[in-house]
Amino acid sequence: MARSHLTLAALATAAVAGLDVTSASGFGSGARGDFESALLNTRDGRHWIVRVPTSERAEAEQSADLVALRALSTGVRARLPFAVSNFAGQTPIGGTRAVVYDFVFGSPLELAGIAEGSPLAPALGRAIAAIHTLPTSFVADAGLPVHSPVEILQSTITIMDRASATNLVPAALLGRWEKATEDGPLWQFAPTVINGGLSADSFLTSDDEVTGLLGWQSLSVGDPARDLYWLLSARGEYVAETAFDAYNEARGSSDRQVKHRAMLYAELEIAKWLLHGTQERSTEIVDDAVQMLHGLVDTVQNDLDQTLSHNTMPVMAVEEVEAMLDRDRRA
């Protein structure tokens, strides 16, 4: 039976010395119902979240998130234009643990609700760019994963091979994905700090700005496109195009193929869903994945704008040439 918010509040007081809770209320349960959570108000006017994992997967996720939060030092956080949770304390309960964090304010992001012209779309791009411009050294120092482009490409091929082995992926998609993995320039990028698990559920917003970002359990150094693919699920073109433009401007990135890799990762999410269904022996999930794969074929077939091949290097603008020359002079 699920614990009440009052029970969770009592656990929080055991986890954090001096925590004087005045009220508590239920607070969601995570994307898959993997946590029992409560929002707490304390006498000093502060707000807290207490979470208890309800599955081994959630417990592992929580542990990884705590490691990442500790790695995000005060100096690193100062570089981010949004808030990140702070770990406050923990206490054992029923073979797992209750963990208390300070509460990050904001409303959950509704990707489908972003209207054309909304400043929230470029704000998303700038927020992601801020993560990708963090120094990679703190990730390595914390013992978190650091992946090279070769390793990232190999892991991508592995997913494709496993999906292909099911004999349920349309040949047109397999050919499209294989062509992308064989396209050398597509994989010539500099790995950056990435959140690694971004989705619309990660973001908290207020007044068309990103106020917080939740879920750091996949923090690593890797392909920046991993943090961008989910934007392509937005309805219409405005949100994705605007967010990508703002992202590239904020980063000043020379990675001209990042959107193409993001498209590949977005498509491979369906392959991962298929693999999950086969692993769980769920006919419902497998049928759903196969339907989506065939729908994807219909979407991308004969659509040159959806190609995964790398862009031919465009002629550089005058401003880009001047900036490049200026960097060379300083080097």
Side-chain angles (χ1 to χ4, degrees):
M1 187 174 69
R3 299 175 181 86
S4 71
H5 57 274
L6 296 178
T7 299
L8 294 173
L11 290 171
T13 60
V16 183
L19 197 69
D20 189 1
V21 178
T22 57
S23 63
S25 58
F27 188 80
S29 58
R32 299 178 295 265
D34 283 341
F35 293 92
E36 296 173 347
S37 305
L39 172 63
L40 313 175
N41 301 316
T42 52
R43 197 168 301 280
D44 58 5
R46 298 181 67 182
H47 306 272
W48 309 82
I49 291 289
V50 56
R51 303 175 83 201
V52 178
T54 59
S55 67
E56 291 184 3
R57 178 183 60 214
E59 188 171 2
E61 178 182 300
Q62 186 181 68
S63 296
D65 190 53
L66 289 175
V67 172
L69 292 180
R70 292 189 181 101
L72 291 165
S73 65
T74 301
V76 171
R77 291 168 186 249
R79 295 170 177 253
L80 298 173
F82 49 77
V84 176
S85 296
N86 285 293
F87 167 75
Q90 64 183 28
T91 190
I93 175 68
T96 183
R97 59 186 173 183
V99 178
V100 181
Y101 312 80
D102 62 345
F103 180 65
V104 176
F105 286 89
S107 301
L109 173 65
E110 295 183 9
L111 194 61
I114 301 178
E116 187 163 345
S118 169
L120 183 54
L124 291 172
R126 290 191 295 270
I128 298 170
I131 299 171
H132 295 175
T133 54
L134 292 173
T136 58
S137 56
F138 84 90
V139 175
D141 291 345
L144 294 169
V146 177
H147 300 295
S148 69
V150 172
E151 292 170 331
I152 293 165
L153 173 57
Q154 186 55 56
S155 66
T156 302
I157 293 173
T158 298
I159 293 170
M160 289 169 40
D161 289 345
R162 290 177 58 207
S164 176
T166 67
N167 295 316
L168 294 172
V169 181
L173 281 183
L174 288 175
R176 171 181 168 84
W177 296 343
E178 288 170 0
K179 183 178 180 181
T181 60
E182 294 167 356
D183 186 0
L186 198 64
W187 301 94
Q188 294 174 4
F189 64 91
T192 68
V193 175
I194 61 172
N195 172 280
L198 287 188
S199 69
D201 293 333
S202 306
F203 292 84
L204 298 173
T205 66
S206 178
D207 297 326
D208 290 325
E209 287 294 333
V210 175
T211 58
L213 205 156
L214 306 175
W216 291 86
Q217 62 273 6
S218 298
L219 179 66
S220 63
V221 172
D223 187 348
R226 289 293 315 169
D227 280 349
L228 293 160
Y229 79 85
W230 63 276
L231 287 165
L232 300 173
S233 65
R235 294 178 182 175
E237 297 181 357
Y238 171 75
V239 173
E241 292 295 334
T242 306
F244 270 90
D245 288 346
Y247 169 84
N248 287 322
E249 182 178 358
R251 271 201 67 195
S253 174
S254 60
D255 184 359
R256 300 176 186 272
Q257 319 307 332
V258 66
K259 188 174 182 180
H260 289 78
R261 295 196 309 279
M263 291 170 62
L264 175 61
Y265 293 143
E267 295 177 17
L268 288 177
E269 284 300 301
I270 307 177
K272 290 181 180 179
W273 183 234
L274 172 65
L275 293 172
H276 173 67
T278 57
Q279 182 177 353
E280 297 295 320
R281 301 183 184 277
S282 169
T283 302
E284 182 180 359
I285 294 176
V286 170
D287 289 346
D288 182 48
V290 169
Q291 183 178 1
M292 287 193 289
L293 288 168
H294 284 280
L296 180 59
V297 172
D298 295 337
T299 299
V300 302
Q301 200 166 35
N302 300 321
D303 188 347
L304 295 179
D305 291 335
Q306 297 293 319
T307 180
L308 294 176
S309 299
H310 74 275
N311 288 324
T312 302
M313 185 71 72
V315 177
M316 297 180 71
V318 173
E319 294 83 2
E320 290 179 290
V321 174
E322 291 176 344
M324 182 185 69
L325 292 174
D326 186 54
R327 286 196 299 271
D328 289 344
R329 293 189 197 102
R330 293 197 301 268

